[in-house]
Amino acid sequence: MILTPQALESLRGRLIVSCQAYPGEPMRDPRTTGQVAASAVIGGAAAVRVQGLSDVQSTRTAVEVPVIGLWKDGHDGVFITPTLRHALAVANAGAHVVALDGTRRDRPDGLTLAQTVAGIHADSHALVMADCGSFEDAVAAVDAGADLIGTTLAGYSGERPKTSGPDFALLEEIAAAGFGVPLIAEGRIHTPAQARQALDTGAFAVVVGTAITHPATITGWFAAALES
């Protein structure tokens, strides 16, 4: 399956589930990621988002919905699919969409975001999702040729304060600009009501991760509530 910009319409108004586990956790295994992704699809996910080359490969065999892939390399600065090399590896692993850092910060390989996007489009069939941290990032990502833009890095890139929940103000600002590319709401969406609000605010689709696929965090929410 090759996901074209036109085929993205199948994701309009739908839920995308991020299936990721942190290094050292019991669930940090490609086969487990694929199983979690398949379970999310049974529940209604129209696409999934996974991290790591092996996880992308495993998930591609486990589901028949679009796979958004990324490669986290490092912990600070630009580390979400930070270079063209990382991006092409994710595409070659089978991702229909390559998610990458879409901020205006310097990239480790010295390429601009526009050069990176062009390289992905030239050497693979994958679309590109730019994870943005501000309105200015979104403008630059659209100009760079990104096929989708997301609010993934709102509160994490240093330009905006980290909100306790979704950054609806940023989502509304980007949606009002009418850039003409799908706007994906992502980041700290922890309830169905927040997901619904994200759509009502102007999101094309909504990504939910932790609240669905990270048992340690979800358990912690309940345990903390009981302890208080």
Side-chain angles (χ1 to χ4, degrees):
M1 173 177 61
I2 296 176
L3 188 65
T4 64
Q6 294 73 26
L8 281 176
E9 274 299 312
S10 66
L11 303 183
R12 182 182 292 276
R14 302 291 301 280
L15 174 67
I16 300 168
V17 175
S18 181
C19 306
Q20 301 182 43
Y22 299 106
E25 293 185 335
M27 290 179 63
R28 186 72 187 93
D29 179 88
R31 184 169 178 269
T32 300
T33 300
Q35 292 170 328
V36 172
S39 297
V41 172
I42 291 173
V48 294
R49 176 171 163 129
V50 299
Q51 190 282 137
L53 303 183
S54 296
D55 293 68
V56 170
Q57 293 169 336
S58 177
T59 302
R60 272 301 306 267
T61 66
V63 303
E64 296 183 0
V65 300
V67 174
I68 301 171
L70 60 139
W71 179 356
K72 291 181 179 177
D73 192 357
H75 304 282
D76 300 304
V78 176
F79 67 90
I80 298 178
T81 322
T83 70
L84 178 58
R85 176 181 66 84
H86 289 85
L88 291 177
V90 171
N92 290 333
H96 301 96
V97 178
V98 175
L100 45 68
D101 186 298
T103 68
R104 305 182 325 280
R105 297 175 291 185
D106 292 337
R107 306 180 73 80
D109 57 4
L111 297 181
T112 65
L113 180 59
Q115 289 172 323
T116 303
V117 173
I120 298 168
H121 286 160
D123 294 333
S124 78
H125 293 296
L127 300 182
V128 179
M129 176 176 172
D131 292 347
C132 301
S134 67
F135 179 81
E136 291 76 15
D137 285 344
V139 172
V142 171
D143 289 342
D147 302 290
L148 309 88
I149 52 176
T151 57
T152 317
L153 291 175
Y156 299 107
S157 64
E159 286 197 85
R160 296 178 66 85
K162 182 180 177 181
T163 53
S164 59
D167 192 335
F168 289 118
L170 176 60
L171 186 66
E172 183 175 15
E173 185 179 13
I174 297 175
F179 290 126
V181 300
L183 169 59
I184 311 300
E186 181 172 9
R188 301 181 297 280
I189 299 172
H190 292 160
T191 68
Q194 289 175 335
R196 179 68 248 181
Q197 185 177 347
L199 276 188
D200 293 341
T201 303
F204 177 86
V206 178
V207 174
V208 177
T210 297
I212 295 176
T213 61
H214 198 243
T217 298
I218 301 168
T219 302
W221 291 342
F222 281 88
L226 297 184
E227 291 170 359
S228 64

